[in-house]
Amino acid sequence: MSDSQQTDPAAPARDVAQAPADEAPAPAQASPPPAHGAPGGSAPRQPRWWSRPEGPAEAHEAAVPAPRADTGTGTDADADPAPDADADLTPDADADPRYDPWAARPLHGVDHGKAGSRRPGFRQGLVIGLGAALLAGGIGGYVGVLAERQANTRLELPQAAPAADKGRAPESVAGIAASALPGVVTLHVNGATSSSTGTGFVLDAQGHILTNNHVVHGARNITVTFSTGESVAAELVGGDTGYDLAVVKVTGVRGLRPLALGNSENVKVGDPVVAIGAPFDLSNTVTAGIISATGRPITAGGDKGDGSDVSYVDALQTDAPINPGNSGGPLLDAGGQVIGINSAIRGGDGGDSSGSQRGSIGLGFAIPVNQGKRVAEELMRTGRATHPVIGVTLDMEYSGDGARVGEKGEGGKPAVTAGGPGAAAGIKPGDVITKVDGVRVHGGDELVIKIRAHRPGDPLTLTVLRDGAERTLEVVLGSANGS
């Protein structure tokens, strides 16, 4: 059936494809122009879904527009002129009541509405609405940020609330440091040609402070600075090169906090330790590590070349970082007691051409506190320390294993001092001492170190190799004044 098929408004709605055959056909009409972009010829028209006006079928026939000739251009402008802007698409009472929604009309007609009520199309309204929303959102966000910045002049990030200060466990590094720092001092020393920085710690309430001899050797002025930042002048009480220990004293200072001395004989490899000092003049520096070895024989000094400035230490080895400026500072155990006096480090091989001091590579050495205590007591009493001796001269050029007794002593004197401890024990020139109290020694330096780890008057058992045979000798250590 063609697009111009009429229906009776009084009849029930039916599909136009099912109209009865005997129903009179509607007057023939010219085919409407083709749809925009479609090939020439007729095409089914889509109905417009507005309400149908009430009235007889004849009235609708009169509303059908007269057929127009198809120009074949296929454009909307050729299909039907645009309705008047003031025209109402719904017929009113005075107009021709006939109206046919199936009549030929432009496929893209636009409903302009009544005069004075023109509104934008759907897409235009949607774009305008979205633009307005985005603009409003942007303005609102900017205003919000501006208001927040104006209201909050400071920017603060979230942070945990301060906890009540309950201190630290006494055996922790923090607990040990808190307890020991008031008794640790930094020493600034000015000499005739140079200056140095070192560390020390308080021995008693009278103001005695223990440090390394190489820190204060040749000093003209010594300044002691406490952990509180207060500084006072100090005077040298005495020092010993062979042990590399010295005592200085401050006066007129109240509230001194002496550190408790432990027992280095109780130290075991793997024990935790804490070192306090002023590495590179950074006062009150705390480092931690373990005991790496005990009874490590080391020598330090020797710059003079005649051996008079060499120190011999049966040291505690630690991996707690120790650097220049830590010298003389305490090495503390887990109980906060002093078990050693930090004295030397093994630096890395090589170095730069600037002459700068090398830093720690995890090989630090401390004088055992038992030795330090004995030497400090002697220095405080007399200003000098005594050395335990066996009364023999060693051949320091000997390259074999052990410590060989020389054939001649200094200045042509006998290598074994007449009436000395060694002579009394039966030591002969040329004997090679291989063990001290059952512990092997590999050279002359090690023998000196093992002997100086004891006090004068202590008995020792020496294993001696003579004429290819070993023999055991008992010796009681004698005493000699130190340097």
Side-chain angles (χ1 to χ4, degrees):
M1 184 175 293
S2 70
D3 289 341
S4 58
Q5 176 65 44
Q6 303 287 328
T7 58
D8 186 355
R14 293 179 299 169
D15 191 338
V16 295
Q18 299 177 354
D22 57 352
E23 184 175 337
Q29 297 184 11
S31 298
H36 189 58
S42 64
R45 308 296 295 181
Q46 297 297 326
R48 291 186 179 272
W49 299 108
W50 48 67
S51 302
R52 290 184 63 183
E54 299 294 335
E58 304 87 64
H60 293 288
E61 291 180 1
V64 178
R68 296 179 57 190
D70 187 358
T71 61
T73 59
T75 64
D76 289 341
D78 293 337
D80 203 9
D84 185 14
D86 296 332
D88 191 346
L89 294 182
T90 303
D92 53 27
D94 297 332
D96 189 345
R98 290 181 298 173
Y99 170 74
D100 185 2
W102 303 101
R105 289 185 176 272
L107 292 178
H108 302 290
V110 178
D111 182 6
H112 293 287
K114 295 183 179 180
S117 62
R118 187 184 299 267
R119 60 180 179 84
F122 174 74
R123 293 185 179 180
Q124 182 180 2
L126 177 61
V127 171
I128 293 175
L130 288 176
L134 291 174
L135 181 60
I139 294 175
Y142 174 77
V143 171
V145 170
L146 184 60
E148 182 180 357
R149 289 182 177 178
Q150 291 177 345
N152 301 300
T153 57
R154 295 178 59 189
L155 176 62
E156 293 187 5
L157 298 175
Q159 185 181 24
D165 186 5
K166 299 180 179 179
R168 296 293 186 268
E171 67 276 7
S172 67
V173 174
I176 295 171
S179 175
L181 275 170
V184 180
V185 301
T186 301
L187 286 82
H188 293 97
V189 180
N190 293 318
T193 59
S194 63
S195 61
S196 62
T197 300
T199 308
F201 58 92
V202 179
L203 292 173
D204 57 23
Q206 286 70 47
H208 291 101
I209 294 170
L210 184 61
T211 186
N212 280 141
N213 184 70
H214 73 261
V215 172
V216 296
H217 183 71
R220 289 186 173 180
N221 299 299
I222 303 173
T223 301
V224 170
T225 303
F226 293 88
S227 61
T228 58
E230 297 174 310
S231 297
V232 296
E235 62 178 4
L236 179 63
V237 175
D240 185 89
T241 300
Y243 288 116
D244 194 20
L245 291 171
V247 172
V248 300
K249 184 179 181 181
V250 297
T251 56
V253 180
R254 294 179 296 176
L256 293 173
R257 296 276 297 275
L259 297 188
L261 304 182
N263 192 324
S264 51
E265 294 294 329
N266 299 332
V267 176
K268 301 298 181 183
V269 174
D271 284 348
V273 290
V274 173
I276 303 179
F280 300 102
D281 204 14
L282 299 173
S283 302
N284 307 320
T285 295
V286 178
T287 58
I290 62 168
I291 294 293
S292 304
T294 60
R296 185 73 79 192
I298 65 166
T299 59
D303 295 335
K304 292 184 177 180
D306 57 2
S308 62
D309 62 337
V310 177
S311 59
Y312 300 87
V313 181
D314 198 26
L316 301 174
Q317 181 181 328
T318 179
D319 67 347
I322 297 173
N323 291 284
N326 274 101
S327 295
L331 186 68
L332 305 151
D333 63 10
Q337 296 179 329
V338 180
I339 57 171
I341 301 95
N342 302 317
S343 299
I345 63 171
R346 173 66 167 85
D349 293 334
D352 55 40
S353 59
S354 65
S356 61
Q357 295 173 299
R358 298 170 182 168
S360 171
I361 60 172
L363 296 175
F365 303 96
I367 300 170
V369 72
N370 288 14
Q371 183 174 334
K373 176 178 179 294
R374 180 184 71 81
V375 174
E377 290 169 346
E378 290 187 345
L379 294 174
M380 291 164 63
R381 284 197 304 265
T382 67
R384 298 179 67 87
T386 59
H387 297 171
V389 296
I390 60 174
V392 302
T393 300
L394 298 176
D395 180 6
M396 303 305 289
E397 301 297 325
Y398 179 70
S399 58
D401 193 42
R404 184 177 183 271
V405 180
E407 298 293 338
K408 293 290 183 178
E410 184 179 355
K413 295 179 180 180
V416 179
T417 304
I427 298 176
K428 303 295 184 182
D431 285 350
V432 178
I433 301 172
T434 59
K435 295 179 183 178
V436 176
D437 286 341
V439 179
R440 182 169 289 279
V441 294
H442 301 283
D445 288 344
E446 287 192 29
L447 178 61
V448 173
I449 290 168
K450 294 301 182 184
I451 291 174
R452 289 192 179 179
H454 295 80
R455 293 174 179 266
D458 288 348
L460 292 180
T461 300
L462 302 179
T463 301
V464 177
L465 181 65
R466 182 188 302 166
D467 298 329
E470 283 189 343
R471 62 189 64 198
T472 302
L473 304 176
E474 301 294 333
V475 62
V476 177
L477 296 176
S479 176
N481 289 328
S483 55

